Amino acid sequence: MNKLSTLMLVLLSLPLSAAELTSMKGVSVLAVNGQEAESKLGSNPLNDGFNQIVVRMDKEVGRGSGNKVFTSKPYVISFDVTGDVVKINHPTARSIAEAKKAFAESEPKWILEQDGKALEFSQQMLPGKQGLFPYMDLDELVLEYNNHNGIYFDNGQLVDKPVEAVVIATTSAVAVSSSTVKPTMTENKEVGESHVSSSSSNVEQLKAWYLKSSTDERKAFRRWMIDQE
């Protein structure tokens, strides 16, 4: 085995480095990129580029016998990662009164850093449901929030949605079309069912190939679709 082959084997055996989110004391990480967080209080892997986390403050504040745990509502925080380590800390809160004041603001002052430098981010309080436990089904709430805002994840990876949205619309159109077919003979009904089944299968294949495609391939496909109009 020559030196080049040996070097390649060594490089392939090395673990792939990835960005990491570290939450400081008092910050609970509930979800990362559309999925339940691997670690609520520890570290979680991040993607290069766009990331979305759902966090809340869970901290004991006050002094002595006046200590109480303050739990905020969950917040959706989005940011772009270009470095290695992202740290998140809660707004300044040394007492219940200070914590309530911090989260009374429309945008609480979360502290986000990337490799020791301030990291820009956007935030929004996660809308809850009515009732005694508004955040009981967190996974469902995050999914609803993302669908409403046109953000889509597939196994923790951001999905470039425009073409897929068209494919889904096409699927719906096929379903509507099939429901309006009223064959007058058994033979016609069988042909109609076979056509719908074939169309649905084609759509599923298109969706599968799109999700497997690279960003450049998706862009090329979108341009092709526009040309067909």
Side-chain angles (χ1 to χ4, degrees), residues 31-224:
V32 178
N33 293 329
Q35 296 184 315
E36 182 179 354
E38 292 184 8
S39 175
K40 186 176 179 181
L41 302 176
S43 298
N44 288 275
L46 296 172
N47 300 325
D48 289 334
F50 178 85
N51 285 268
Q52 178 197 82
I53 60 176
V54 180
V55 297
R56 73 179 179 216
M57 176 176 162
D58 287 306
K59 184 182 179 183
E60 187 175 282
V61 294
R63 294 182 178 180
S65 59
N67 279 8
K68 291 183 179 180
V69 175
F70 177 86
T71 298
S72 73
K73 293 182 178 180
Y75 281 78
V76 181
I77 296 180
S78 303
F79 50 91
D80 286 326
V81 172
T82 57
D84 298 318
V85 178
V86 174
K87 294 182 179 181
I88 182 167
N89 204 349
H90 56 74
T92 302
R94 291 157 293 193
S95 66
I96 289 292
E98 195 170 27
K100 289 181 177 179
K101 181 179 179 181
F103 285 93
E105 298 182 11
S106 58
E107 294 189 350
K109 294 179 175 60
W110 298 93
I111 301 170
L112 211 63
E113 293 183 348
Q114 177 177 249
D115 298 338
K117 297 181 180 179
L119 179 62
E120 292 186 1
F121 63 92
S122 62
Q123 65 169 303
Q124 184 177 351
M125 187 177 70
L126 180 67
K129 294 183 177 180
Q130 298 294 327
L132 186 60
F133 302 105
Y135 295 103
M136 176 72 74
D137 299 318
L138 187 74
D139 290 347
E140 181 182 342
L141 292 173
V142 173
L143 181 60
E144 289 177 358
Y145 173 89
N146 284 335
N147 286 341
H148 179 74
N149 289 279
I151 303 171
Y152 303 91
F153 291 101
D154 179 33
N155 292 325
Q157 298 294 321
L158 184 67
V159 176
D160 189 7
K161 198 66 179 182
V163 172
E164 190 178 348
V166 173
V167 171
I168 293 174
T170 304
T171 305
S172 301
V174 170
V176 171
S177 176
S178 65
S179 66
T180 59
V181 174
K182 296 181 180 179
T184 56
M185 298 177 61
T186 302
E187 291 81 4
N188 290 340
K189 181 179 180 181
E190 290 175 353
V191 172
E193 290 177 348
S194 175
H195 174 70
V196 172
S197 175
S198 176
S199 299
S200 298
S201 177
N202 289 338
V203 170
E204 291 303 317
Q205 289 181 22
L206 285 171
K207 290 167 64 177
W209 279 109
Y210 178 74
L211 290 175
K212 293 178 181 178
S213 300
S214 66
T215 300
D216 289 339
E217 289 170 335
R218 292 177 183 180
K219 290 179 180 178
F221 185 53
R222 286 202 298 275
R223 287 195 294 268
W224 176 85

